[in-house]
Amino acid sequence: MYNSSTGNSMLCRDFMRPRIIQASLKTQKEGIAGNTKVPRNVNMEKLRSGYLFPEISKREVQHIEKYPDAKLISLGIGDTTEPLPEIIASSMANYALSLSTAEGYRGYGAEQGNKALRKAIAETFYKDVRIKETEVFVSDGAQCDITRLQLLLGSNVSIAVQDPSFPAYVDSSVIIGQAGDFEDKSRMYGNIEYMKSVPQTNFFPDLAKTSRSDIIFFCSPNNPTGHAATRQQLEQLVKFAKENGSIIIFDSAYAAYITDDSPRSIFEIPGAREVAIEVSSFSKFAGFTGIRLGWTVVPEELSFSNGFPVINDFNRIVCTCFNGASSISQVGGLACLSPEGFAAVCSITDYYKENAKILHNTFASLGLKVYGGKNAPYLWVHFPGSKSWDIFTEILERTHIITVPGSGFGPAGEEFMRVSAFGHRETILEAARRLENLYL
Amino acid sequence: MYNSSTGNSMLCRDFMRPRIIQASLKTQKEGIAGNTKVPRNVNMEKLRSGYLFPEISKREVQHIEKYPDAKLISLGIGDTTEPLPEIIASSMANYALSLSTAEGYRGYGAEQGNKALRKAIAETFYKDVRIKETEVFVSDGAQCDITRLQLLLGSNVSIAVQDPSFPAYVDSSVIIGQAGDFEDKSRMYGNIEYMKSVPQTNFFPDLAKTSRSDIIFFCSPNNPTGHAATRQQLEQLVKFAKENGSIIIFDSAYAAYITDDSPRSIFEIPGAREVAIEVSSFSKFAGFTGIRLGWTVVPEELSFSNGFPVINDFNRIVCTCFNGASSISQVGGLACLSPEGFAAVCSITDYYKENAKILHNTFASLGLKVYGGKNAPYLWVHFPGSKSWDIFTEILERTHIITVPGSGFGPAGEEFMRVSAFGHRETILEAARRLENLYL
């Protein structure tokens, strides 16, 4: 009944390609027959045409047309592949069934999420760092909450992002109107502080050279580099935010993959409650990419310059612009946080981490520098002197494997490729075999 | 396991009340210890403090504290109460279970929604009006899509709303920056065209007196008045939009309640494809208030003044700011549109319509003018010369029944009460009995 075989972003592609060409002809004038008189949003106009993943999907489709018999392997978009633990699936199934009974039916839930789930999130992830359940807002995913946070902040703030970083921070910033124009030469938008985070600096920005911004987006373990910021790095970041009166929006969507003693939450750092918001997700932690569930923590102490608590405005945004995550997904989330469910989902993240180790060894055996993988389901592989879209094409042509060009995450991603470790073990092993022969 | 007993908006109340008082003291200064230097969004500052439904929840809680033994009945927030048809619940349950199998597991779906569901929506609701499945975008609900449409439009457009209307149109407009300040005297925001829609004009605005706006929000059957616009009214509206080069955002969330020949979609009106977007929902149609599922139709012909297709920008917003509705909810939606599922959900809307008839007769028997109820699950009851918050209090004190003050939907809602017909039959009959004695 449910068929997602058309893939994630083919439809993006179908929509965007031919019609954007049409609009870029610029022969159209205001007021011609059939057009409304509504101006197109200048912020939407500023956006670069291709969101990274739809562009990759497009190339994937072209490749399949060219090599219809090739067995394509995707190490591209970070999509989970392993079945849900039975206890989690059956809790959602039982709840769904109960909705057909008079006793079990429920309508609207709280916009902020079910109380039991908020409590379980606070106790599971923030037990030692004083986060209250009322500071946890359940959502339909981290990406959606990033946009809601942008709505809350509005156009009159400045932002900083790690370079490279997950494209949604920059793109949502452009959409809400915080960014200047895109400059083709630097491949950066104006008014955005790109904090270069490269191997030479242990993937942390040089804060002495970083200008103040109101908002600092920071993702750890990082997508795409796979680097988990050390405690010392995060202490520096919190100190920097405090000195500048900035707010950190900390994305911990991959925290479940941390194997060493890197902090799993920004709130492990003293003082973070006054300068940070944390966005997180069940997607990669529990295979909920299609089920849609995440959360955002806004501490009560966090205030705007006039003393108004940020949590009040976020609550208002959640009540006005959102209506809560699906009640069924929330039941699934609660099952993930039960002792049995938690153990089961951890064994799946372990499985993906083993995949990452296999791929890490493969790329290293080619003599390449490989980063990430230890605390994240992503590897960040360096191809010195090469353009990442060229490497994308070369790997695809030679091995029929989809990867992600590092330049899609920001200018500092050039020369790198992001390789996802999500996949069935036999697929990862097959990918490893093909990659071993990459330069034969 | 799943407990929503804390109610929809109590948590809103808990957050907002004490702290808003604190902030309104205005003794706080920029830069005081603990505050960041991030300015609060001026648009958020413009918002009136209480979103309507949280305010009602607050009064409800106070009433329960005052009369702990009273059996409170809520005809307030329009929340569905009847169990899902078994076929729909079991389709979601079976799908959820399949996620624990290697064959059944699915990760990310398309951001725009599952192809089969988009097709089913197009064929079920738009069969005769030429809407393609690729013009249908599945969402997590109409309220969320209203905000996404505002993100798409940006701050540089003007809007018009029916007065009275569902508060999310105006509030999302304020949040995105389209509105001027709220004026306490008129109880209107600046830069918003309030189109008075009252019984004397058959709940339709006097378009000859209506200024041009870029965007016209129009809800039919209307929340709160329960009025379904006639074909002739909608023809006038489309003509008006065409003459002005405006875009209509048509909210058809209650279309399933239409019993007469009023149009169920704006696209029944010739020419609407060039001037309208339609937002709709499974919430009231199929009892999906907690499950979260809706859709938006953007026709390919609809263009901004420069000729750029609106559908491309909406697709971009959906891909960047949203990540698709829950896959489980989408399976449930597909089951609603199967022949058996459709018949079953229609029998539930019939049940609520019978409730509406009972309540209609009750209020009419009191000598009051009652509107709506025939094509919508809401009644709109006139109390000439009274303030609607006073009537709210009077009804609550005398009958322990929660209703919604019409003034919460706009200044033209003063003197009116919205009464929801959602509820178990025995609750509605008990409410009717209590109301019969309202003036004894």
Side-chain angles (χ1 to χ4, degrees):
Chain A
M1 188 164 232
Y2 186 79
N3 168 19
S4 71
S5 65
T6 48
N8 194 21
S9 300
M10 281 181 58
L11 295 159
C12 280
R13 182 189 58 85
D14 288 347
F15 273 119
M16 301 202 62
R17 202 169 31 146
R19 301 181 67 87
I20 275 176
I21 291 164
Q22 180 201 343
S24 68
L25 291 176
K26 293 203 175 175
T27 54
Q28 288 131 338
K29 298 243 172 69
E30 300 232 353
I32 69 168
N35 294 348
T36 65
K37 291 180 188 158
V38 178
R40 186 178 178 214
N41 184 346
V42 290
N43 300 326
M44 296 300 295
E45 265 172 3
K46 274 185 196 166
L47 276 178
R48 291 296 89 183
S49 60
Y51 189 68
L52 176 61
F53 294 103
E55 178 62 28
I56 290 171
S57 281
K58 189 177 88 180
R59 308 261 187 137
E60 184 175 330
V61 171
Q62 289 167 346
H63 189 78
I64 292 167
E65 283 167 4
K66 192 170 165 191
Y67 302 101
D69 297 329
K71 291 214 167 90
L72 199 77
I73 293 177
S74 176
L75 307 179
I77 186 169
D79 194 6
T80 48
T81 56
E82 300 312 297
L84 296 187
E86 201 279 334
I87 183 181
I88 296 164
S90 63
S91 72
M92 292 192 287
N94 291 338
Y95 177 75
L97 280 180
S98 78
L99 293 174
S100 68
T101 67
E103 313 73 45
Y105 183 77
R106 295 284 180 280
Y108 286 118
E111 294 94 336
Q112 302 87 352
N114 172 257
K115 192 174 155 64
L117 179 57
R118 299 173 81 186
K119 188 162 183 274
I121 291 170
E123 288 177 355
T124 305
F125 300 107
Y126 304 105
K127 200 180 163 202
D128 302 324
V129 296
R130 293 190 306 128
I131 295 295
K132 300 179 199 170
E133 67 186 66
T134 50
E135 295 171 323
V136 175
F137 294 76
V138 176
S139 77
D140 60 336
Q143 186 168 340
C144 310
D145 262 356
I146 287 163
T147 294
R148 282 187 282 266
L149 286 166
Q150 297 281 23
L151 268 171
L152 177 158
L153 295 164
S155 60
N156 202 25
V157 298
S158 55
I159 78 153
V161 294
Q162 290 158 290
D163 178 17
S165 68
F166 179 48
Y169 313 133
V170 165
D171 285 359
S172 62
S173 172
V174 175
I175 289 170
I176 207 72
Q178 297 157 352
D181 288 329
F182 187 80
E183 200 191 286
D184 283 318
K185 201 178 157 205
S186 66
R187 306 197 49 247
M188 294 178 182
Y189 287 96
N191 300 344
I192 292 182
E193 177 75 14
Y194 289 76
M195 305 184 298
K196 203 169 169 182
S197 303
V198 290
Q200 297 89 319
T201 60
N202 198 16
F203 295 104
F204 193 72
D206 182 348
L207 295 175
K209 290 185 189 160
T210 302
S211 302
R212 179 195 178 276
S213 298
D214 290 312
I215 307 299
I216 302 167
F217 282 97
F218 198 95
C219 177
S220 177
N222 187 264
N223 175 8
T225 68
H227 175 77
T230 64
R231 188 169 305 271
Q232 200 199 357
Q233 288 177 336
L234 292 184
E235 282 168 357
Q236 285 177 48
L237 185 71
V238 166
K239 184 165 171 275
F240 181 76
K242 235 172 205 171
E243 284 167 1
N244 285 289
S246 305
I247 294 175
I248 300 163
I249 297 181
F250 189 79
D251 184 341
S252 66
Y254 297 93
Y257 290 84
I258 292 179
T259 49
D260 63 18
D261 62 353
S262 305
R264 290 168 184 235
S265 163
I266 190 69
F267 299 116
E268 291 185 32
I269 309 302
R273 287 183 59 90
E274 284 122 58
V275 293
I277 290 167
E278 184 161 302
V279 175
S280 203
S281 175
F282 283 80
S283 288
K284 311 300 162 76
F285 155 59
F288 271 37
T289 46
I291 294 167
R292 311 305 310 139
L293 196 67
W295 71 89
T296 287
V297 175
V298 187
E300 288 175 0
E301 287 91 328
L302 187 69
S303 301
F304 292 112
S305 57
N306 67 350
F308 193 87
V310 176
I311 191 172
N312 289 12
D313 274 350
F314 191 64
N315 188 62
R316 183 65 192 262
I317 289 285
V318 164
C319 289
T320 307
C321 305
F322 182 54
N323 229 325
S326 172
S327 56
I328 303 173
S329 308
Q330 292 192 62
V331 167
L334 202 49
C336 292
L337 304 182
S338 69
E340 194 189 330
F342 198 77
V345 296
C346 289
S347 78
I348 298 177
T349 53
D350 284 344
Y351 178 93
Y352 294 131
K353 279 193 271 192
E354 183 62 26
N355 285 351
K357 202 178 286 179
I358 293 165
L359 292 170
H360 193 288
N361 293 342
T362 303
F363 282 106
S365 74
L366 296 174
L368 296 165
K369 275 274 196 190
V370 191
Y371 304 93
K374 185 182 162 199
N375 290 322
Y378 297 125
L379 306 176
W380 187 241
V381 188
H382 195 198
F383 294 79
S386 299
K387 293 266 177 197
S388 39
W389 275 109
D390 293 345
I391 312 165
F392 172 88
T393 305
E394 187 176 353
I395 294 177
L396 184 57
E397 284 287 331
R398 287 179 178 241
T399 67
H400 306 300
I401 294 174
I402 296 279
T403 52
V404 184
S407 60
F409 300 97
E414 194 61 281
E415 301 191 353
F416 287 86
M417 299 303 289
R418 192 193 79 173
V419 179
S420 161
F422 294 110
H424 301 315
R425 182 63 44 79
E426 62 271 24
T427 311
I428 298 296
L429 290 171
E430 169 63 17
R433 272 189 292 274
R434 293 188 198 171
L435 288 163
E436 277 165 14
N437 299 322
L438 183 62
Y439 293 126
L440 290 189
Chain B
M1 187 165 234
Y2 186 79
N3 169 19
S4 71
S5 65
T6 48
N8 194 21
S9 300
M10 280 180 59
L11 296 159
C12 280
R13 179 189 59 87
D14 289 345
F15 273 118
M16 301 202 62
R17 202 168 31 147
R19 301 181 68 87
I20 274 175
I21 291 165
Q22 180 201 344
S24 68
L25 291 176
K26 292 202 176 174
T27 54
Q28 288 130 341
K29 298 242 170 70
E30 298 230 355
I32 68 168
N35 293 348
T36 65
K37 291 180 187 157
V38 178
R40 186 178 178 213
N41 184 345
V42 290
N43 300 325
M44 296 300 295
E45 264 172 3
K46 273 184 195 167
L47 276 178
R48 290 296 91 184
S49 60
Y51 188 69
L52 176 63
F53 294 104
E55 178 63 28
I56 290 170
S57 280
K58 189 177 86 180
R59 308 261 188 136
E60 184 175 330
V61 172
Q62 290 167 344
H63 189 78
I64 292 167
E65 284 167 3
K66 191 169 165 190
Y67 302 101
D69 297 328
K71 292 217 166 89
L72 199 77
I73 294 176
S74 177
L75 307 178
I77 187 170
D79 194 6
T80 48
T81 57
E82 300 311 298
L84 295 187
E86 202 278 335
I87 183 180
I88 295 165
S90 63
S91 73
M92 293 192 287
N94 291 337
Y95 178 75
L97 280 181
S98 78
L99 293 175
S100 67
T101 66
E103 313 72 46
Y105 182 77
R106 294 284 181 279
Y108 286 119
E111 295 93 337
Q112 303 87 353
N114 173 256
K115 194 175 153 65
L117 179 57
R118 300 172 81 186
K119 189 163 183 274
I121 290 170
E123 288 177 355
T124 305
F125 299 106
Y126 304 104
K127 201 180 162 202
D128 302 324
V129 296
R130 295 189 304 128
I131 295 295
K132 300 179 200 171
E133 67 186 65
T134 50
E135 295 171 323
V136 175
F137 294 76
V138 176
S139 78
D140 59 336
Q143 185 168 339
C144 310
D145 262 355
I146 287 164
T147 293
R148 282 188 282 267
L149 286 165
Q150 297 281 24
L151 268 171
L152 177 157
L153 294 165
S155 60
N156 202 24
V157 298
S158 56
I159 77 153
V161 294
Q162 291 160 288
D163 179 17
S165 67
F166 179 47
Y169 312 133
V170 165
D171 286 357
S172 63
S173 172
V174 175
I175 289 171
I176 206 72
Q178 296 158 353
D181 288 329
F182 188 79
E183 200 192 284
D184 283 318
K185 201 177 158 204
S186 66
R187 305 196 49 248
M188 294 179 183
Y189 287 95
N191 300 344
I192 292 182
E193 177 77 14
Y194 289 76
M195 306 184 298
K196 203 170 170 181
S197 302
V198 290
Q200 297 88 321
T201 60
N202 198 16
F203 295 103
F204 194 71
D206 183 348
L207 295 177
K209 290 184 190 161
T210 302
S211 302
R212 179 195 177 275
S213 298
D214 289 311
I215 308 299
I216 302 167
F217 282 96
F218 198 95
C219 177
S220 176
N222 187 264
N223 174 9
T225 67
H227 175 77
T230 65
R231 188 168 305 270
Q232 200 199 357
Q233 287 176 336
L234 293 184
E235 283 168 356
Q236 285 177 48
L237 184 71
V238 167
K239 185 165 170 276
F240 180 76
K242 238 177 200 162
E243 285 168 359
N244 286 289
S246 305
I247 294 177
I248 301 163
I249 297 181
F250 190 80
D251 183 343
S252 67
Y254 298 93
Y257 290 84
I258 292 178
T259 49
D260 63 19
D261 62 353
S262 305
R264 290 169 185 235
S265 163
I266 191 69
F267 299 115
E268 290 185 33
I269 309 302
R273 286 183 60 90
E274 285 122 58
V275 293
I277 289 167
E278 184 161 304
V279 174
S280 202
S281 176
F282 283 81
S283 288
K284 311 299 162 78
F285 154 60
F288 270 37
T289 46
I291 295 166
R292 310 307 309 140
L293 196 67
W295 71 89
T296 287
V297 175
V298 186
E300 289 174 0
E301 287 91 328
L302 186 70
S303 302
F304 292 112
S305 56
N306 67 351
F308 193 86
V310 176
I311 191 172
N312 289 12
D313 275 348
F314 191 64
N315 188 63
R316 183 66 192 261
I317 289 284
V318 164
C319 289
T320 307
C321 307
F322 182 54
N323 230 326
S326 172
S327 56
I328 303 173
S329 308
Q330 292 191 63
V331 167
L334 202 49
C336 292
L337 304 182
S338 69
E340 194 188 329
F342 197 76
V345 296
C346 289
S347 80
I348 298 177
T349 53
D350 284 346
Y351 178 94
Y352 294 131
K353 280 193 272 191
E354 182 62 28
N355 285 351
K357 201 178 287 179
I358 293 166
L359 291 170
H360 193 288
N361 292 343
T362 302
F363 282 105
S365 75
L366 296 174
L368 296 165
K369 274 273 196 193
V370 191
Y371 304 93
K374 184 182 163 199
N375 291 323
Y378 297 126
L379 306 175
W380 188 241
V381 189
H382 195 196
F383 294 80
S386 300
K387 293 268 177 196
S388 35
W389 274 109
D390 293 344
I391 312 164
F392 172 87
T393 306
E394 186 176 355
I395 293 177
L396 184 57
E397 285 286 330
R398 287 178 178 242
T399 68
H400 306 299
I401 294 174
I402 297 279
T403 52
V404 185
S407 59
F409 299 97
E414 195 61 282
E415 300 191 355
F416 287 85
M417 299 303 288
R418 191 192 80 173
V419 179
S420 161
F422 293 111
H424 300 316
R425 182 63 43 80
E426 62 271 25
T427 310
I428 297 296
L429 290 170
E430 169 63 16
R433 272 189 292 274
R434 294 188 197 169
L435 288 163
E436 276 165 14
N437 299 322
L438 183 61
Y439 292 127
L440 288 190

